[in-house]
Amino acid sequence: MSLVQSNSVTDLLHDRLAREILVLDGAMGTMVQSLNLDERTIRGDRFASHHKDLKNFVDILSLTHPDALTEIHYQYLLAGADIIETNTFGASPIGMEDFELPRELVREINFAAVQCARNAIERVSRLSDQPQRFLAGSIGPTTKQTAISTKVDDPAFREVTFDEMQQSYYEQVAALVDAGGDVLLPETVIDTLNLKACLFAIQRCFDDAGRSVPVMVSATFDRSGTTFVSGQNVEAFWNAVSHFPMLSVGINCALGPALMRPYVEE
């Protein structure tokens, strides 16, 4: 990486990690489901007339129900999470295509989501004897793949190009960094080429902005120990992305603790 991470939050994060294990929060989707919000409620007044269902785009809650979203973050902090993830899993231009939401909303959704998480951190900081908590900007894989064709009869077909993917990621990354995210977290990686587009976009954003934040990566492996789309084992996945200086690299919860243990060890 061409830039030196020198801000005080990054220094504190590295210092904490040198001395202790930091705990990430848990799933956002299941917590939203527990709110029992129907389609009409999730839309709110602002998106009441939108022509596509939005119930599965929980990222919209940062605009329609920010208080409920902040409360979810707060509950994770009370449970002991040191790092909470923004509700921005699908809040990139390509990620929002399935819901036909305008590209102009990307920056607004990401900024609002960061603010919800930040409000929760500030709220818990007012309690006594609380350690510093950190905010990670969640970046999901989208429903598009660049590593494989999605047409059985056309192996060369791609729904999206590498350049289109990295530009989409760039817009989300820039919003998360500008909004004040402490960390970036590309997660649920199933297509390593998508991740490489994301890492390229992150580096380009850092170069353009003249500053950087730590980057964590979380990949998804199946029972055979390979990534779902790219078909790489742990070693191959690592070799594909190890050129980028990450704060951490890990595996998400798809397999459960017992099955994922040997792959984490590897």
Side-chain angles (χ1 to χ4, degrees):
M1 186 176 295
S2 59
L3 301 175
V4 175
Q5 299 163 346
S6 60
N7 68 74
S8 58
V9 174
T10 297
D11 292 342
L12 180 58
L13 177 59
H14 281 282
D15 181 64
R16 290 276 304 280
L17 284 170
R19 295 181 289 104
E20 59 188 299
I21 293 172
L22 299 186
V23 179
L24 276 167
D25 60 4
M28 176 58 68
T30 50
M31 294 295 285
V32 171
Q33 287 176 6
S34 70
L35 299 177
N36 295 316
L37 303 177
D38 58 19
E39 176 69 30
R40 180 178 179 181
T41 306
I42 282 183
R43 287 168 172 263
D45 294 336
R46 179 172 176 181
F47 300 98
S49 60
H50 187 65
H51 60 284
K52 295 279 286 189
D53 286 350
L54 296 177
K55 189 174 182 179
N56 291 327
F57 185 62
V58 297
D59 308 50
I60 206 71
L61 289 178
S62 62
L63 300 181
T64 59
H65 295 280
D67 291 342
L69 182 56
T70 298
E71 182 63 24
I72 290 173
H73 290 309
Y74 183 66
Q75 291 302 318
Y76 272 126
L77 291 168
L78 289 182
D82 298 290
I83 304 172
I84 57 172
E85 304 166 57
T86 56
N87 182 37
T88 53
F89 187 80
S92 63
I94 289 177
M96 289 164 48
E97 281 182 0
D98 291 342
F99 304 95
E100 297 181 11
L101 290 163
R103 200 176 190 114
E104 294 74 26
L105 277 179
V106 169
R107 193 165 180 85
E108 184 181 359
I109 290 174
N110 282 276
F111 261 75
V114 168
Q115 188 58 57
C116 288
R118 186 64 67 195
N119 288 344
I121 289 175
E122 292 176 354
R123 180 179 169 191
V124 82
S125 70
R126 292 193 288 269
L127 303 177
S128 61
D129 301 323
Q130 291 295 315
Q132 173 74 39
R133 310 299 179 92
F134 304 94
L135 188 162
S138 170
I139 305 170
T142 81
T143 59
K144 305 292 192 295
Q145 281 83 50
T146 51
I148 63 170
S149 171
T150 53
K151 286 187 177 180
V152 176
D153 58 347
D154 185 2
F157 175 78
R158 297 293 185 272
E159 290 184 281
V160 63
T161 68
F162 182 91
D163 286 342
E164 289 169 340
M165 185 64 74
Q166 71 89 15
Q167 180 58 38
S168 173
Y169 279 130
Y170 181 93
E171 293 181 35
Q172 182 178 17
V173 167
L176 290 169
V177 172
D178 289 346
D182 302 322
V183 176
L184 293 173
L185 177 53
E187 59 170 318
T188 319
V189 174
I190 58 175
D191 183 335
T192 308
L193 193 56
N194 279 15
L195 174 61
K196 289 173 80 72
C198 184
L199 296 177
F200 183 92
I202 289 172
Q203 183 60 65
R204 186 161 71 91
C205 180
F206 289 170
D207 291 340
D208 290 346
R211 67 183 189 279
S212 65
V213 298
V215 176
M216 303 169 66
V217 167
S218 177
T220 305
F221 291 83
D222 61 22
R223 287 176 176 266
S224 67
T226 59
T227 53
F228 277 101
V229 172
S230 307
Q232 294 174 305
N233 61 20
V234 172
E235 182 180 4
F237 172 76
W238 170 247
N239 286 329
V241 300
S242 58
H243 65 284
F244 192 93
M246 294 168 282
L247 177 71
S248 72
V249 61
I251 299 174
N252 78 347
C253 59
L255 294 176
L259 291 177
M260 70 194 298
R261 185 181 182 93
Y263 304 125
V264 173
E265 289 176 345
E266 183 179 354

